[in-house]
Amino acid sequence: MIGGLFIYNHKGEVLISRVYRDDIGRNAVDAFRVNVIHARQQVRSPVTNIARTSFFHVKRSNIWLAAVTKQNVNAAMVFEFLYKMCDVMAAYFGKISEENIKNNFVLIYELLDEILDFGYPQNSETGALKTFITQQGIKGQHQTKEEQSQITSQVTGQIGWRREGIKYRRNELFLDVLESVNLLMSPQGQVLSAHVSGRVVMKSYLSGMPECKFGMNDKIVIDKQGKGGTTDDPGKSGKQSIAIDDCTFHQCVRLSKFDSERSISFIPPDGEYELMRYRTTKDIILPFRVIPLVREVGRTKLEVKVVIKSNFKPSLLAQKIEVRIPTPLNTSGVQVICMKGKAKYKASENAIVWKIKRMAGMKESQISAEIELLPTNDKKKWARPPISMNFEVPFAPSGLKVRYLKVFESKLNYSDHDVIKWVRYIGRSGIYETRC
Amino acid sequence: MTDSKYFTTTKKGEIFELKAELNSDKKEKKKEAVKKVIASMTVGKDVSALFPDVVNCMQTDNLELKKLVYLYLMNYAKSQPDMAIMAVNTFVKDCEDPNPLIRALAVRTMGCIRVDKITEYLCEPLRKCLKDEDPYVRKTAAVCVAKLHDINAQLVEDQGFLDTLKDLISDSNPMVVANAVAALSEIAESHPNSNLLDLNPQTINKLLTALNECTEWGQIFILDCLANYMPRDDRESQSICERVTPRLSHANSAVVLSAVKVLMKFMEMLPKDLDYYGTLLKKLAPPLVTLLSAEPELQYVALRNINLIVQKRPEILKHEMKVFFVKYNDPIYVKLEKLDIMIRLASQANIAQVLAELKEYATEVDVDFVRKAVRAIGRCAIKVEQSAERCVSTLLDLIQTKVNYVVQEAIVVIKDIFRKYPNKYESVIATLCENLDSLDEPEARAAMIWIVGEYAERIDNADELLESFLEGFHDESTQVQLQLLTAIVKLFLKKPTETQELVQQVLSLATQDSDNPDLRDRGYIYWRLLSTDPVAAKEVVLAEKPLISEETDLIEPTLLEELICHIGTLASVYHKPPSAFVEGSRGVQHKKLTARAGSGESAESPDVGLSGPSEAPPAVIPSQGDLLGDLLNLDLAPPTATVPSVQPSMQMGAMDLLGGGLDSLMGDESDTLGGDIGGSPSMGGGLGVAPAAMPAALGGAPAVGGGLGDLFDLSGGVGMPTGSYVAPKTVWLPAMKAKGLEISGTFARRGGIIQMDLSLTNKAMSVMTDFAIQFNRNSFGLAPAGPLQVLTPLSPNQTIDVSLPLSTSGPVMKMEPLNNLQVAVKNNIDVFYFSCQYPISMIFVEDGKMERQVFLATWKDIPNDNEALFQIKDIHLNSDAASNKLQGSNIFTIAKRTVEGQDMLYLSVKLTNGIWVLAEMRIQTGNPNYTEMELSIKCRAPEVSPFVFQCYELVLKN
């Protein structure tokens, strides 16, 4: 298991050093500094073995977090733990910076004592931790016996991510469906590869221990219902459902229930968290189509025409649109004309950057550019990197729809209808490229 | 409130200040002081001097202060064991505290203090805490047993803590179960044979129930423990798999990987025809792909594991090639791993896409990555035959970029492609040779040298190229030196005439001037091989190499099985068994996959072939060892003496007669040239002057045999037997070498018939009978025209003279020298071998007089390159006398001219095989006592010219 945990600043000075196991000596702290932080070259692996001691590290801004071990530990677990530790620290004092770490070093030691015991990760949900480790010193001495046992049962219990007794005057929840759509398209408009990776992020402000059930237009669920004859028009529902390649859930979701019934039920943590992640590759709505036309006029001139077409409902607006058209290295000058937005040639980035603030659906816009080239004797042809695009659209390109999020809290007197629910869809470009 | 002020270092006297503050009455001040102490401790200052003062602060009801003091204690108790005792009372008291958080804190901290006296006091509180009513205390106590075991294993056993720990597996609280499992697993690791983790279906059931309820970390502990379980039958395997599969949807990658480990392991036990087996395979792919959207460090761990999974079960991810395409912003370690998996997944179906990607990568910035991409292109060529041509052209494009490391890498892989597809892409060699100068890495140099040696016959200036490398021989790395040695030997075997010096040079460099035993040994092996049995040398060195396998870098199967059992752990990241990087006894047990009983797969015993860090996978592409391998095939090559006669190849025929007699041949005749080779007499005449290969026109001597004969140069081509027409008999086979039979002999041409005059002398004590004679194939097809006529038994000390008529209709093979004849003589005792040389005038035929016109035309027709000039001195003959003398040996004068006081003779000779040798002889007649003759000889087969000249000289001088 984890033998020790060190936090360094960018210079390699130790900010936090906690050793859990006898086989890790103080020299381990220096070994990592000398061999990894002070090593001139680029980091070639996040796992380093120095003198039979293994170091796992992650970096957050200019802070190094390193876990040390001499055993055959579960490597995936160590990294997951390091990320989790960053999350916990961020939840307590915000950004992970040298200053914040120095300011909170006592707190960090306290947390490390709690979430890692003899190198074994223990409950590390901030919801639970905050009940007994606080920045204002430890509660404890003033707690009643009931409060104390409530804390311990929560920390060790099945629902370690949520404390009991949360109360809100207004029960409210926010669901964000955040997707990033990735595309690689051939110059002829053929889709070479496309996939959406999505996340459902939930902010819950709900009283008590609410039991939630989340439903979306998952093809498997809809088809199952269709078979049962509950839906009236299977053809219609088939169109609106989406095939999910794979999904993962926050630990609050009962996985065995998902596996058997494909229903997503859970008691949510309080506040913001990521409920699920998913991937789809089929029937993706591509919000934009890029049609490039590059013509080489002689050896010193290039004519580029790029048309972008928006492909969604006219009532919706895409934002932050940016088209990046690469130019050859020997470009000497560029003249650009665009119908909409602003376009600029950025010599340092070897690209023409065309920005449009907003664009409605089913529209098209065009840019044409003349690129002057310096004559070179470089025999190698310009490789023509793909044209890339950035945008944000107010819908989910995967076609995912939230069908319901039901909230049940039997002990408190509020019902599903009393909860105010907000759903928002945001589709962003991932790597969205068209070859030219 | 900022704590960072504690980090600001104060100067001298700090310790005293702190001491004072620690003993302050004010609580706040005390707390501040302890914080300063902890801060100093963190940055590595020794604050152990403050031990008593800090421990004094322990008895407080301020939990924050208490925790800080405990932290200090854990760090320094070991260095101050006596004073640490002061803390015991407080610990014991805290273990009774009504607050479960404090009870747990006390037991947790006590376990971390590795001082014997404290440990003694720990036992009672620990026993209580293990049965505490509060689960938080119990889960902490469970881990504490593992801590105590680490300090004093015997104590834990004696106190019966292990049993209590086992009971906790049935605890109602899932986290207690998880921690108990973790503690037991760790303790079990250091007791390989104990039945500590007595996993049975009931406990497994409990674990699976807890799996659904405990924290993500607890799930990992339980899954890792489950992976060690051995289900009794495939139904149990299946039911466990069914209960583990939901974990594949967990957001925590470690949970997913541990679940994958359990499934990969238990899948082995499922029958392959089971529907569920296929379902399971399908279920594994999506979560593995999803792992690639995790943070880069986890992606790295995932990719290292996927690398193993792809080797074990390629079917799982065969359709997922695209997700391994490298993204521009991936960290380098992710890029390199992705590339590795791409090659493993490359198949005919996706090769076009893969190649397009690889070509992109080859233009990236990171040198390692670019190199690997170039190498990957080569591996694709080897793996997918259909793509080989495209790969080669891609590589050539890359070579054109002239980027140094790209070129070098490309050359290394092209070498492998040559080996995989012989005689297909050698046309690119010229392009490769252009880049010779830019190669500065040993591997690339070695590869290039290999190519030059291997294809020496296609590279006109191969000898120059290799010679250029030879200049800095001692500065090269061993890899290059070895390759250079082998390449030059290959070159010599292919083009013996021009490269003799080169091979001598490299052999002496390797054997005499080198300290490297590998190099020296290889040098000696070649040297001896060349000198004792050049035919074998050729067979060995130029042997057909086995084609290289398409799957490279595969992990050795037993190691792979072990690593599959370690999915998710460091072992799977390093691709090494835990014993390779873990000290002591921990984790050194070898795990293995267990196949389904009765299934076709082999179930090996656990320790088969896995002793120690056997990390090196079998090198499927032998890189630097390949030629050594070739050498070691020596024993496998067919032994020369036992070649079946049914095989009618030229080479074999030669061997047939010669059998094992070469050694004795070399022994007595090799002195002539042995000296100049640098001290190794065994090298002998094998490296003697070798005339250029005789063209096929010469009696149709087949080219295959041509090179072989060169090596049988036994007397260096000088020292023809002296004598006029018929040289006196010389001893060809000394009695010592032939068990008492001495043979001497000579050749004569009588009446158009070549005769071999032999004297057989019996110098042994017993009678010899049953004589027979046989010739090896030779340049002019000499063969006995009849049997050896020794009719009476040969008594001791008796000599018999025999004349053996020879025909020229025997099998032809070019010999070295041309007039060499290898003979085998058999008697009742044994078979003996010797070789002798016949004057080439034996094969000058009687009708060798050419028509004048034909002579003129032929003279003009033969290119001037074929003209050879010789001088004969100290001849006391005028032109007429010379002409007469020559005619006796079938050298005919066609015309005579006198120009400026010099006589010019035009002469012709016809050989038995129909080759004409024309000559112009200029005789200086001015001084009768001192005549100098200049001879220019023209022949379509110029290699006979020196021999013809020798005949002229012999005839004229005698």
Side-chain angles (χ1 to χ4, degrees):
Chain A
M1 282 305 116
I2 297 172
L5 222 148
F6 310 129
I7 301 179
Y8 302 85
N9 66 8
H10 66 287
K11 284 187 261 176
E13 291 165 355
V14 202
L15 304 178
I16 297 288
S17 139
R18 176 75 163 91
V19 172
Y20 293 94
R21 299 238 167 187
D22 201 40
D23 53 5
I24 302 299
R26 179 84 202 175
N27 53 359
V29 184
D30 303 322
F32 183 75
R33 174 183 31 240
V34 172
N35 288 290
V36 181
I37 302 180
H38 288 176
R40 289 277 162 84
Q41 77 271 40
Q42 196 190 353
V43 172
R44 306 304 286 196
S45 161
V47 185
T48 321
N49 194 317
I50 308 163
R52 287 191 156 234
T53 309
S54 299
F55 294 81
F56 300 76
H57 77 263
V58 299
K59 253 188 111 174
R60 288 291 180 268
S61 62
N62 55 7
I63 297 294
W64 299 74
L65 286 93
V68 198
T69 185
K70 283 208 163 183
Q71 296 171 32
N72 183 29
V73 295
N74 188 319
M77 186 189 78
V78 175
F79 281 122
E80 284 283 3
F81 177 78
L82 287 174
Y83 302 144
K84 192 63 159 206
M85 209 181 105
C86 294
D87 292 348
V88 170
M89 290 196 291
Y92 269 94
F93 52 76
K95 193 173 171 272
I96 295 173
S97 63
E98 181 171 356
E99 202 193 349
N100 278 345
I101 287 170
K102 280 184 171 173
N103 281 340
N104 294 283
F105 85 96
V106 175
L107 171 73
I108 293 171
Y109 275 123
E110 212 176 306
L111 286 169
L112 283 177
D113 196 40
E114 186 58 46
I115 59 178
L116 209 51
D117 189 6
F118 201 41
Y120 289 104
Q122 304 292 305
N123 192 332
S124 46
E125 288 301 317
T126 36
L129 290 170
K130 279 187 170 171
T131 58
F132 64 106
I133 297 176
T134 65
Q135 273 174 294
Q136 283 75 43
I138 297 136
K139 288 181 193 166
Q141 42 272 63
H142 313 299
Q143 284 165 332
T144 64
K145 204 173 175 195
E146 285 76 51
E147 278 172 336
Q148 287 163 1
S149 71
Q150 205 180 42
I151 290 169
T152 57
S153 77
Q154 198 218 317
V155 172
T156 60
Q158 292 183 28
I159 309 154
W161 51 87
R162 187 182 179 93
R163 63 189 171 92
E164 295 209 33
I166 297 168
K167 277 210 176 73
Y168 287 101
R169 279 230 321 267
R170 201 157 94 129
N171 289 299
E172 203 171 15
L173 66 87
F174 300 84
L175 272 180
D176 281 349
V177 176
L178 307 170
E179 294 195 340
S180 96
V181 53
N182 300 277
L183 169 76
L184 185 62
M185 192 177 254
S186 76
Q188 292 74 34
Q190 189 194 353
V191 176
L192 298 175
S193 77
H195 77 272
V196 166
S197 56
R199 307 188 296 142
V200 179
V201 174
M202 185 174 175
K203 264 182 238 164
S204 71
Y205 304 106
L206 301 170
S207 310
M209 295 299 259
E211 179 69 46
C212 297
K213 209 170 167 190
F214 175 66
M216 53 186 181
N217 55 343
D218 177 1
K219 193 165 191 292
I220 295 171
V221 178
I222 305 264
D223 286 358
K224 216 192 266 171
Q225 285 169 352
K227 256 181 231 159
T230 45
T231 35
D232 37 8
D233 187 355
K236 197 182 159 197
S237 70
K239 222 184 238 171
Q240 287 179 345
S241 64
I242 61 158
I244 294 175
D245 286 28
D246 187 39
C247 48
T248 59
F249 297 100
H250 184 266
Q251 62 164 323
C252 66
V253 176
R254 293 181 188 92
L255 294 178
S256 45
K257 220 162 174 186
F258 177 75
D259 196 57
S260 56
E261 303 163 24
R262 208 141 168 118
S263 75
I264 303 163
S265 61
F266 53 95
I267 297 171
D270 194 39
E272 185 173 333
Y273 72 103
E274 190 178 286
L275 175 65
M276 72 178 283
R277 281 181 185 221
Y278 56 92
R279 254 183 330 112
T280 73
T281 47
K282 292 194 187 69
D283 302 323
I284 293 165
I285 307 158
L286 298 168
F288 284 95
R289 165 94 203 270
V290 177
I291 305 153
L293 196 75
V294 179
R295 210 160 65 90
E296 283 171 42
V297 187
R299 297 201 53 197
T300 55
K301 207 168 144 193
L302 213 64
E303 279 180 11
V304 182
K305 202 173 104 178
V306 177
V307 180
I308 58 166
K309 283 185 180 172
S310 59
N311 177 35
F312 45 87
K313 271 192 235 156
S315 56
L316 300 174
L317 272 181
Q319 294 184 74
K320 300 174 190 167
I321 301 148
E322 187 185 290
V323 182
R324 187 171 282 267
I325 304 160
T327 55
L329 296 175
N330 55 335
T331 302
S332 61
V334 176
Q335 273 118 41
V336 209
I337 310 161
C338 58
M339 288 157 54
K340 229 179 157 202
K342 281 178 187 165
K344 233 185 191 172
Y345 165 63
K346 294 194 174 170
S348 59
E349 295 166 36
N350 287 312
I352 299 167
V353 181
W354 176 24
K355 285 182 179 173
I356 304 170
K357 276 195 185 128
R358 267 181 290 276
M359 188 166 169
M362 307 314 280
K363 288 261 164 58
E364 70 172 70
S365 190
Q366 185 184 321
I367 185 172
S368 41
E370 272 185 25
I371 302 169
E372 306 279 340
L373 302 176
L374 290 168
T376 61
N377 43 14
D378 192 2
K379 269 179 264 158
K380 218 178 136 193
K381 248 185 111 189
W382 178 48
R384 287 200 189 181
I387 295 173
S388 60
M389 225 192 140
N390 288 316
F391 54 80
E392 198 179 292
V393 289
F395 62 89
S398 69
L400 183 131
K401 288 265 172 350
V402 176
R403 288 170 64 221
Y404 54 81
L405 199 150
K406 292 176 191 153
V407 181
F408 309 97
E409 170 52 278
S410 45
K411 284 181 196 155
L412 298 174
N413 56 349
Y414 72 93
S415 73
D416 186 37
H417 300 292
D418 303 326
V419 180
I420 306 158
K421 301 168 190 169
W422 306 87
V423 181
R424 182 164 65 157
Y425 298 93
I426 301 172
R428 292 196 183 99
S429 53
I431 295 165
Y432 202 87
E433 294 179 334
T434 307
R435 291 187 178 154
C436 57
Chain B
M1 174 197 92
T2 60
D3 287 349
S4 58
K5 62 173 183 275
Y6 305 114
F7 280 89
T8 52
T9 44
T10 32
K11 46 285 138 194
K12 267 187 191 169
E14 188 190 13
I15 298 281
F16 292 103
E17 269 173 45
L18 281 173
K19 214 178 180 82
E21 285 173 39
L22 283 171
N23 292 315
S24 156
D25 295 334
K26 286 179 191 150
K27 266 190 190 168
E28 270 312 301
K29 202 150 195 187
K30 259 191 187 174
K31 202 163 125 186
E32 296 288 289
V34 176
K35 280 188 184 179
K36 277 187 203 163
V37 172
I38 300 292
S40 303
M41 187 177 88
T42 298
V43 297
K45 271 186 218 152
D46 184 11
V47 284
S48 59
L50 296 168
F51 199 91
D53 310 283
V54 176
V55 172
N56 273 336
C57 304
M58 193 174 167
Q59 268 181 332
T60 169
D61 46 2
N62 183 322
L63 202 53
E64 193 186 6
L65 181 58
K66 195 186 268 288
K67 283 190 178 179
L68 288 173
V69 175
Y70 281 180
L71 189 62
Y72 180 90
L73 264 177
M74 284 187 270
N75 264 292
Y76 288 112
K78 229 170 136 188
S79 57
Q80 310 264 347
D82 296 332
M83 280 195 266
I85 301 298
M86 291 157 58
V88 166
N89 267 336
T90 323
F91 278 128
V92 175
K93 213 177 105 205
D94 279 356
C95 286
E96 306 278 337
D97 197 278
N99 186 341
L101 291 172
I102 293 184
R103 291 202 296 277
L105 177 67
V107 80
R108 187 164 69 210
T109 312
M110 258 177 113
C112 297
I113 296 173
R114 304 175 67 92
V115 173
D116 286 343
K117 279 183 186 143
I118 297 223
T119 319
E120 281 167 33
Y121 285 100
L122 175 62
C123 291
E124 276 323 297
L126 179 59
R127 199 187 312 283
K128 267 188 212 153
C129 288
L130 280 167
K131 301 210 163 124
D132 201 285
E133 53 169 19
D134 195 294
Y136 183 80
V137 180
R138 289 202 301 277
K139 72 114 186 162
T140 311
V143 176
C144 191
V145 176
K147 292 179 188 169
L148 191 58
H149 187 270
D150 192 37
I151 302 167
N152 190 340
Q154 196 57 46
L155 186 70
V156 171
E157 277 169 53
D158 295 347
Q159 295 280 331
F161 285 138
L162 294 181
D163 293 326
T164 327
L165 202 53
K166 276 193 223 170
D167 293 342
L168 287 183
I169 291 185
S170 313
D171 200 280
S172 59
N173 184 294
M175 197 158 171
V176 176
V177 177
N179 275 4
V181 166
L184 277 173
S185 301
E186 181 171 338
I187 295 169
E189 254 180 39
S190 48
H191 291 274
N193 300 319
S194 73
N195 199 19
L196 208 69
L197 258 170
D198 172 32
L199 293 175
N200 53 48
Q202 287 76 40
T203 42
I204 291 295
N205 199 34
K206 281 176 201 157
L207 292 183
L208 287 169
T209 311
L211 186 64
N212 287 327
E213 295 166 350
C214 63
T215 64
E216 46 194 330
W217 315 116
Q219 296 184 19
I220 299 168
F221 306 153
I222 291 175
L223 287 168
D224 284 352
C225 171
L226 266 180
N228 293 326
Y229 177 61
M230 197 68 65
R232 287 161 310 168
D233 51 30
D234 45 80
R235 275 181 53 204
E236 197 187 1
S237 297
Q238 183 175 343
S239 90
I240 295 173
C241 288
E242 280 168 354
R243 292 177 74 177
V244 167
T245 35
R247 298 298 120 198
L248 294 176
S249 300
H250 203 287
N252 187 315
S253 308
V255 175
V256 177
L257 268 178
S258 290
V260 169
K261 166 164 57 191
V262 174
L263 296 175
M264 284 290 287
K265 211 181 155 189
F266 289 10
M267 229 158 79
E268 290 290 304
M269 283 166 254
L270 294 176
K272 303 263 180 298
D273 47 353
L274 197 70
D275 284 348
Y276 181 71
Y277 180 82
T279 317
L280 200 54
L281 273 183
K282 279 196 203 109
K283 278 192 174 175
L284 277 171
L288 288 173
V289 172
T290 300
L291 289 176
L292 298 183
S293 46
E295 290 82 348
E297 291 87 0
L298 267 174
Q299 279 188 52
Y300 174 72
V301 174
L303 286 165
R304 292 293 283 175
N305 279 286
I306 289 171
N307 199 327
L308 298 173
I309 293 167
V310 165
Q311 289 184 54
K312 180 72 190 164
R313 295 192 178 276
E315 65 270 30
I316 294 177
L317 287 166
K318 67 175 174 213
H319 299 303
E320 303 289 348
M321 169 62 91
K322 278 187 189 171
V323 301
F324 297 102
F325 285 177
V326 169
K327 292 188 190 129
Y328 186 76
N329 289 324
D330 282 336
I332 182 65
Y333 49 81
V334 168
K335 285 184 178 177
L336 292 172
E337 290 306 316
K338 280 187 174 173
L339 199 49
D340 220 43
I341 295 170
M342 276 172 69
I343 303 164
R344 293 201 194 283
L345 290 177
S347 67
Q348 205 185 329
N350 55 27
I351 194 72
Q353 269 184 312
V354 174
L355 259 182
E357 285 291 312
L358 293 176
K359 210 175 164 182
E360 289 284 315
Y361 304 163
T363 59
E364 281 227 29
V365 187
D366 189 281
V367 176
D368 281 354
F369 182 61
V370 171
R371 282 172 180 277
K372 199 161 182 171
V374 175
R375 220 162 256 236
I377 296 172
R379 274 167 70 179
C380 284
I382 288 161
K383 198 171 172 191
V384 186
E385 186 165 359
Q386 291 82 355
S387 76
E389 198 155 338
R390 250 182 304 172
C391 294
V392 171
S393 76
T394 307
L395 288 170
L396 284 178
D397 286 351
L398 290 172
I399 288 177
Q400 297 304 339
T401 63
K402 303 277 177 198
V403 178
N404 187 285
Y405 53 85
V406 173
V407 172
Q408 311 211 39
E409 211 59 47
I411 285 177
V412 172
V413 293
I414 285 177
K415 177 201 75 182
D416 291 339
I417 296 176
F418 282 170
R419 281 204 60 181
K420 172 77 183 182
Y421 309 109
N423 304 317
K424 232 176 150 183
Y425 300 110
E426 282 79 1
S427 52
V428 309
I429 289 175
T431 319
L432 303 186
C433 289
E434 286 165 23
N435 292 287
L436 211 63
D437 300 333
S438 63
L439 309 180
D440 52 13
E441 289 159 22
E443 202 181 353
R445 288 174 82 85
M448 192 65 221
I449 291 169
W450 183 86
I451 291 170
V452 174
E454 188 68 15
Y455 299 101
E457 67 272 26
R458 300 175 195 230
I459 305 171
D460 293 336
N461 59 341
D463 49 341
E464 285 169 34
L465 295 179
L466 292 177
E467 203 171 356
S468 68
F469 281 105
L470 205 56
E471 281 160 19
F473 188 77
H474 290 296
D475 302 328
E476 299 283 2
S477 73
T478 310
Q479 190 185 7
V480 180
Q481 290 176 331
L482 286 169
Q483 209 53 266
L484 197 51
L485 170 62
T486 305
I488 291 178
V489 171
K490 280 185 193 166
L491 175 69
F492 172 70
L493 290 172
K494 288 175 180 177
K495 299 183 180 173
T497 39
E498 306 115 65
T499 56
Q500 188 196 339
E501 255 179 56
L502 202 58
V503 81
Q504 286 173 13
Q505 209 180 334
V506 77
L507 285 173
S508 90
L509 280 171
T511 52
Q512 285 162 30
D513 304 339
S514 170
D515 296 333
N516 184 319
D518 285 348
L519 187 63
R520 233 170 24 216
D521 286 356
R522 196 189 282 193
Y524 279 126
I525 288 176
Y526 281 144
W527 199 322
R528 291 195 184 125
L529 208 51
L530 287 174
S531 53
T532 51
D533 193 349
V535 180
K538 203 150 189 169
E539 272 181 45
V540 169
V541 179
L542 303 181
E544 207 167 295
K545 283 156 213 55
L547 290 185
I548 55 174
S549 153
E550 55 194 47
E551 281 301 338
T552 50
D553 302 345
L554 282 182
I555 293 177
E556 188 256 330
T558 37
L559 177 61
L560 181 62
E561 300 227 322
E562 188 181 4
L563 292 179
I564 290 285
C565 298
H566 287 293
I567 283 178
T569 69
L570 261 183
S572 73
V573 174
Y574 293 147
H575 288 184
K576 289 177 188 174
S579 51
F581 59 92
V582 174
E583 278 169 359
S585 60
R586 241 188 249 281
V588 196
Q589 301 150 269
H590 292 297
K591 297 189 180 179
K592 61 166 183 111
L593 289 178
T594 313
R596 199 169 104 78
S599 79
E601 286 175 59
S602 60
E604 288 145 297
S605 72
D607 24 9
V608 169
L610 274 177
S611 49
S614 61
E615 145 208 27
V620 191
I621 294 186
S623 51
Q624 76 158 321
D626 59 344
L627 291 155
L628 199 55
D630 293 344
L631 272 178
L632 294 175
N633 282 336
L634 193 65
D635 296 338
L636 302 175
T640 46
T642 61
V643 174
S645 52
V646 282
Q647 198 165 358
S649 93
M650 300 301 285
Q651 247 165 293
M652 296 308 163
M655 299 317 296
D656 190 7
L657 177 82
L658 290 168
L662 283 163
D663 282 2
S664 60
L665 278 180
M666 300 307 293
D668 57 337
E669 303 220 44
S670 60
D671 320 358
T672 36
L673 280 179
D676 57 33
I677 294 171
S680 174
S682 64
M683 193 65 187
L687 295 170
V689 184
M694 191 178 266
L698 204 149
V704 271
L708 286 173
D710 296 351
L711 293 157
F712 290 92
D713 176 13
L714 297 172
S715 74
V718 290
M720 285 278 289
T722 48
S724 54
Y725 288 106
V726 179
K729 284 177 181 169
T730 47
V731 174
W732 285 340
L733 181 69
M736 275 170 64
K737 296 220 164 190
K739 303 188 176 159
L741 176 67
E742 187 184 88
I743 298 177
S744 54
T746 185
F747 293 90
R749 191 175 177 98
R750 300 184 190 103
I753 291 168
I754 309 163
Q755 294 202 311
M756 190 184 202
D757 296 337
L758 296 166
S759 295
L760 310 178
T761 309
N762 185 349
K763 293 195 172 173
M765 304 301 285
S766 57
V767 176
M768 291 177 184
T769 55
D770 304 335
F771 285 94
I773 193 163
Q774 208 180 337
F775 292 176
N776 190 12
R777 288 155 201 251
N778 52 70
S779 307
F780 297 96
L782 291 180
L788 188 62
Q789 300 287 333
V790 185
L791 298 172
T792 50
L794 192 60
S795 326
N797 285 323
Q798 191 191 352
T799 299
I800 297 182
D801 289 337
V802 220
S803 258
L804 182 70
L806 304 181
S807 74
T808 55
S809 55
V812 173
M813 184 175 78
K814 195 188 158 201
M815 297 301 289
E816 184 53 48
L818 270 182
N819 57 344
N820 195 27
L821 183 66
Q822 293 170 333
V823 184
V825 169
K826 179 191 150 272
N827 63 10
N828 58 332
I829 297 165
D830 205 345
V831 182
F832 310 106
Y833 304 89
F834 63 89
S835 77
C836 54
Q837 279 151 12
Y838 47 94
I840 206 146
S841 56
M842 289 301 114
I843 54 162
F844 294 173
V845 293
E846 281 68 21
D847 59 342
K849 184 158 183 170
M850 211 176 219
E851 289 297 315
R852 276 181 92 136
Q853 296 306 318
V854 182
F855 183 92
L856 280 172
T858 314
W859 185 268
K860 279 183 191 156
D861 200 37
I862 296 173
N864 284 338
D865 289 351
N866 285 10
E867 184 170 344
L869 286 172
F870 303 93
Q871 274 197 340
I872 306 173
K873 289 178 181 173
D874 300 328
I875 304 284
H876 309 282
L877 289 172
N878 62 24
S879 55
D880 290 339
S883 179
N884 281 334
K885 228 174 171 179
L886 288 169
Q887 185 140 4
S889 295
N890 294 341
I891 302 171
F892 301 98
T893 307
I894 292 159
K896 184 184 156 189
R897 218 150 52 105
T898 309
V899 186
E900 296 164 9
Q902 292 182 348
D903 284 345
M904 305 284 280
L905 291 181
Y906 297 90
L907 305 143
S908 75
V909 164
K910 189 184 172 190
L911 306 184
T912 49
N913 53 9
I915 286 185
W916 288 91
V917 183
L918 313 185
E920 181 190 68
M921 192 156 74
R922 179 184 308 217
I923 302 165
Q924 219 97 40
T925 45
N927 184 354
N929 297 325
Y930 179 74
T931 316
E932 204 177 87
M933 294 187 183
E934 267 179 39
L935 193 64
S936 84
I937 298 179
K938 261 194 170 184
C939 176
R940 289 192 198 275
E943 56 273 19
V944 299
S945 304
F947 298 95
V948 174
F949 158 71
Q950 282 171 15
C951 282
Y952 272 89
E953 195 173 28
L954 277 173
V955 171
L956 291 172
K957 284 193 173 174
N958 293 293

